[in-house]
Structure formats: C-alpha cells, structure tokens
Amino acid sequence: GAVVSQHPSRVICKSGTSVKIECRSLDFQATTMFWYRQFPKQSLMLMATSNEGSKATYEQGVEKDKFLINHASLTLSTLTVTSAHPEDSSFYICSARVNDTYEQYFGPGTRLTVT
Amino acid sequence: KQEVTQIPAALSVPEGENLVLNCSFTDSAIYNLQWFRQDPGKGLTSLLLIQSSQREQTSGRLNASLDKSSGRSTLYIAASQPGDSATYLCAVRRRDDKIIFGKGTRLHILP
C-alpha cells in the first residue's frame, strides 16, 4: 500500500523559533497534500491544502503567514510553523492524494511541543 | 458546510460484548466515508472505507454501514476485546477531496 512519512515524529522548540515539518509520499506521486492539526482530546481539523507548484489554500481561521506551506515536488510538502508559541503545541498530520487513483493516505503525525 | 457528529463521545463495555458506534453527517454529497482508529498519542489507523455507492464494508470483527441518504454510518464491533480500546474516528471525504472528521468515540473495553 501507499506510504506517507512525516519527519520529525516529535519536536520540542522554544517559543519564538520556527519549526519545519516534512510530509513525504514514499512510493507514489502526490500533487495534492493536506495538513491537519489535532489538539489534545480534540478531533483533526483541516488546516490547508497543499498543491505542488502553486500556493496553498488555507481554511478559515488559519494564519497563512504563520503556517507556511511549500510543496516543491510531487513527493514532498513542508509545513513551517513560524514564531511558534505554546498554543501552537499540537499533533500535526498530513495526508497525500495519489495522483493516479485519488486515494488519500495519512502520515503518522508530528507532535510539536513549544516551551 | 459538512459537519460530522459521533455518538457516544465515550463508551465503556465489558469484554466480549458487541457494540455499535454511530456517525452522522449533514451533507450527503460525499465521496466516501472512512473509519479510523487512533491510539493515545499516535497517528491514524484506517479500519474501513466505504465508497459513496456502497452500503457496507467488513473486515474481521468490524462491519461499517453507510446510509448516505439519511447521513448516517455505523461501526459494529463484534466480540470486543481489551485491545479494541482506542478512539474511533469517523471521517467524510467531500467531493473537493477535503476530509472532515468527527470528534471521535473513546472506547474502553473492560477486561
């Protein structure tokens, strides 16, 4: 089956710094990837849609200047949390849509803790 | 706007019992519906995916049904085991490919 990886799996950073999270489709090409956020004991909320070669589209209420998304290749999308604050601490999960079949597969998630 | 609701929010049942988790969604124009399992602090494990044209899917002790017209899905777990304890998420994929999740049902199987 199709595999999506995320790196890192866990990251701790200090308030005010920036953190980059990678989402990779390992054995398929994905023009479109999605980024989700999950706060403790909450469900997953879609943050943005990442499109290879074009700007990401953000859901209402998500700050595009704070959550920078770059989808530079057909297998890699990155989410950069800029000037992180403790309230950005969350579980970030990506999904990738297979170009040929339109199936979507989820990554294992990245737990971000901002101190 | 698509909203996904899961009932109950939490459920505790003795080992061996059969149980049903419920999911409802407000917009029937969906591409598919998927049930996931999430263990504490972990990612998602896909359990069953039902295409919009299908009525149910089965995998082992799990059976998921879909009634698109009424906006409902159920996940049936037979002969529950302590290892089934987890949060179960219902997710609807819209036709624009966005996936909307319910808040989940936290299931605890009592040994």
Side-chain angles (χ1 to χ4, degrees):
Chain A
V3 178
V4 177
S5 70
Q6 284 186 238
H7 177 80
S9 57
R10 288 177 178 270
V11 58
I12 300 173
C13 70
K14 292 187 176 181
S15 186
T17 62
S18 295
V19 175
K20 181 184 287 187
I21 302 170
E22 294 185 348
C23 176
R24 291 182 185 271
S25 56
L26 297 187
D27 49 2
F28 64 94
Q29 292 185 334
T31 300
T32 302
M33 295 184 178
F34 301 89
W35 287 95
Y36 296 82
R37 177 170 55 184
Q38 184 180 35
F39 291 110
K41 297 188 177 181
Q42 299 293 317
S43 190
L44 281 80
M45 298 297 293
L46 179 65
M47 298 176 65
T49 303
S50 171
N51 297 294
E52 187 268 338
S54 64
K55 290 183 178 181
T57 54
Y58 292 81
E59 296 300 302
Q60 190 173 7
V62 178
E63 300 175 60
K64 63 179 181 180
D65 294 330
K66 180 169 183 62
F67 299 98
L68 301 180
I69 292 174
N70 185 282
H71 195 149
S73 78
L74 290 173
T75 60
L76 174 64
S77 174
T78 61
L79 169 69
T80 300
V81 183
T82 63
S83 186
H85 291 286
E87 56 264 33
D88 297 324
S89 298
S90 186
F91 193 51
Y92 292 86
I93 301 180
C94 70
S95 72
R97 191 184 73 183
V98 182
N99 279 1
D100 295 338
T101 66
Y102 278 51
E103 299 296 322
Q104 280 195 41
Y105 296 91
F106 284 83
T110 295
R111 183 160 303 282
L112 169 64
T113 302
V114 183
T115 61
Chain B
K1 179 185 175 184
Q2 180 71 271
E3 294 183 359
V4 180
T5 303
Q6 290 187 246
I7 295 173
L11 181 64
S12 293
V13 299
E15 179 180 3
E17 285 198 3
N18 303 324
L19 58 98
V20 175
L21 306 181
N22 296 291
C23 172
S24 62
F25 49 96
T26 54
D27 188 345
S28 62
I30 65 171
Y31 184 75
N32 62 38
L33 183 144
Q34 197 163 2
W35 284 91
F36 293 90
R37 168 184 174 142
Q38 186 175 32
D39 292 288
K42 303 294 184 182
L44 305 177
T45 299
S46 178
L47 298 174
L48 291 165
L49 183 149
I50 312 176
Q51 300 293 348
S52 62
S53 59
Q54 297 175 325
R55 299 283 291 184
E56 67 176 346
Q57 284 287 336
T58 298
S59 176
R61 295 183 292 109
L62 306 179
N63 175 276
S65 68
L66 173 64
D67 184 342
K68 199 172 67 167
S69 61
S70 67
R72 295 181 181 180
S73 175
T74 61
L75 177 66
Y76 175 83
I77 302 177
S80 58
Q81 304 170 358
D84 294 331
S85 297
T87 295
Y88 290 80
L89 295 169
C90 170
V92 168
R93 181 172 169 181
R94 302 181 341 190
R95 295 192 183 278
D96 62 1
D97 285 338
K98 295 179 180 179
I99 295 178
I100 309 300
F101 286 84
K103 292 185 176 181
T105 293
R106 294 188 306 280
L107 177 63
H108 184 205
I109 306 300
L110 305 168

